[in-house]
Each structure stands twice: as structure tokens, then as C-alpha cells.
Amino acid sequence: MARYTGAVCRLCRREGKKLFLKGERCYSDKCSVSRREYAPGQHGQGRKKISEYGIQLRSKQMAKRYYGVLESQFSKYFEMAERKAGMTGENLLRILESRLDNVIYSAGFASSRAEAKQLILHNHFTLNGRKVNISSILVKPGDVIELKSNSKSSEKFKAIVENFASRPTPMWMNVDKDTMTIKIERLCNRDEVELEIEEHLIVELYSK
């Protein structure tokens, strides 16, 4: 599967805010956004007027980078959102939130979405009792994600859960950190999405 392999801190600096792509580093003084509050590259510190199209594009790029999704898959998610009842922008965010890698990260079982992808690929989790190694699977209400029994004793997972124990758990899932189990109670609401983004700008961009 295609994936971004460049420096992820550049992505946060380009968007001008923390996208929490680097795990623990994002919460420390080493965060690149905190140390260099300007875009990367030779002209990063220059001031440039952004067009309406540019503002819309930045909204899309931010969402893609936050959830770790490339262009082709993001476009497919937008098409799915258009076909669903309700507001397209909110449907799009709801789809992105329901990705398996995002669920595992949001539950506190990974330090970043990139790490969640890797853990899923290495078969550390099961979905409804079956092994799963595809991070883009979309969960639905009633689904149960569990850390495999032979992984529960891993010091790595114990450290991750301990380090991120204070992270708020989304209301739309029930997380049991003793049994390392996640149950999806419902899909998320718009006000439960942490990303500060105006999703209507993405809709306007795709509508052109």
C-alpha cells in the first residue's frame, strides 16, 4: 500500500499546527511546530496572500495528513460521504474517524496513527474475534477490537497505555484498558472530532 515516507514534522509545520503525527515528541519541547512556527522550505518565512482555492486546499491537506490518508483514498471517502444522508462534510469526518487505525490511536493503544497502522499490520489486534491487518477498515457500532492475548504481556503496550492513560477517551467508544478491548458504541458526532477544520471548505473544493 502506498504511504507517505517523508519527514512528518514538515507536514505539521506546513499546516501551522500540531497534527500529532510523531507520538510522544509532539507533547514535548522537541516539537518542530513549537520551535519553528513557520512553514518549511526556502520561502517558509515569507508572507504570501492565500487565495480562496488555497484556503480550501489547505483544509483538505490538513485532513489528509491528520488521518494519514493519501489522495486517492481520500477521494473515495469523499464519494462515500456524498452518497450518505446528511451533510457531506460531517459524513467525511465521521468516515475518517471510524478507520481502524484512528480508533486504536484514539483509544490510547498507540502513540500515533502511524504506529497504530504498524501494529495492525503486524497482527496485534483482532476485530470481532478475527485477526485483522488492514488499517483502513471502517468500524461500525457493535464492533469489538481487542489486543491479541500474546501481545498483552508486551512491555511496549504496557508503556504506551501508561504514557497515554490521561488521554481523554472518545464518548463513542468504550475502552477497557485492563482487558485491552475497544467496543464501538456508535459513530462519532461532529463536535467530538478533535481536528480544528472547516470541512465545508473541502466540500467546496471538490464541488468545483
Side-chain angles (χ1 to χ4, degrees):
M1 179 183 293
R3 62 189 180 91
Y4 175 79
T5 57
V8 294
C9 289
R10 289 176 62 88
L11 303 182
C12 293
R13 288 178 59 204
R14 182 63 186 86
E15 302 308 330
K17 62 177 60 181
K18 293 186 179 185
L19 301 180
F20 300 97
L21 307 178
K22 200 76 173 179
E24 293 183 46
R25 184 186 180 95
C26 300
Y27 298 90
S28 71
D29 295 334
K30 296 181 180 180
C31 175
S32 295
V33 175
S34 301
R35 296 170 65 185
R36 291 176 287 182
E37 297 180 349
Y38 52 87
Q42 181 179 0
H43 306 290
Q45 298 186 61
R47 293 187 176 182
K48 185 178 180 181
K49 185 176 180 180
I50 303 178
S51 65
E52 179 183 0
Y53 172 80
I55 294 173
Q56 295 168 348
L57 180 61
R58 291 266 57 84
S59 294
K60 185 189 75 168
Q61 295 296 84
M62 187 188 303
K64 283 171 50 182
R65 291 165 175 175
Y66 185 74
Y67 291 103
V69 177
L70 296 184
E71 182 62 38
S72 60
Q73 195 164 35
F74 193 86
S75 296
K76 291 179 182 177
Y77 288 152
F78 185 82
E79 291 173 2
M80 290 173 57
E82 280 189 310
R83 293 195 296 267
K84 291 179 177 290
M87 300 181 67
T88 300
E90 293 186 9
N91 289 340
L92 175 62
L93 294 180
R94 192 172 292 115
I95 290 170
L96 292 166
E97 282 286 313
S98 65
R99 280 175 56 100
L100 181 60
D101 54 358
N102 180 74
V103 169
I104 289 174
Y105 165 73
S106 299
F109 292 171
S111 62
S112 65
R113 290 177 181 81
E115 183 175 55
K117 283 183 172 69
Q118 185 180 53
L119 295 175
I120 295 167
L121 181 63
H122 292 172
N123 293 296
H124 285 290
F125 291 92
T126 62
L127 176 62
N128 297 327
R130 298 182 178 182
K131 65 179 182 179
V132 59
N133 60 4
I134 302 174
S135 59
S136 60
I137 286 179
L138 302 180
V139 301
K140 57 185 183 300
D143 282 350
V144 176
I145 301 101
E146 185 175 6
L147 184 66
K148 293 176 69 173
S149 56
N150 59 352
S151 300
K152 291 180 179 179
S153 59
S154 167
E155 292 299 323
K156 176 182 179 65
F157 282 104
K158 290 180 181 178
I160 291 173
V161 173
E162 182 178 344
N163 289 339
F164 294 94
S166 59
R167 181 191 294 167
T169 301
M171 297 296 292
W172 51 279
M173 63 175 76
N174 185 6
V175 180
D176 188 331
K177 294 188 177 180
D178 292 325
T179 61
M180 301 292 281
T181 302
I182 308 165
K183 183 175 181 181
I184 307 302
E185 302 291 348
R186 56 178 172 80
L187 296 182
C188 72
N189 297 321
R190 173 62 185 93
D191 58 1
E192 294 171 316
V193 178
E194 294 182 354
L195 180 62
E196 296 179 7
I197 191 170
E198 297 180 77
E199 64 276 9
H200 69 274
L201 295 175
I202 302 176
V203 178
E204 292 173 5
L205 179 66
Y206 276 105
S207 298
K208 291 185 175 181

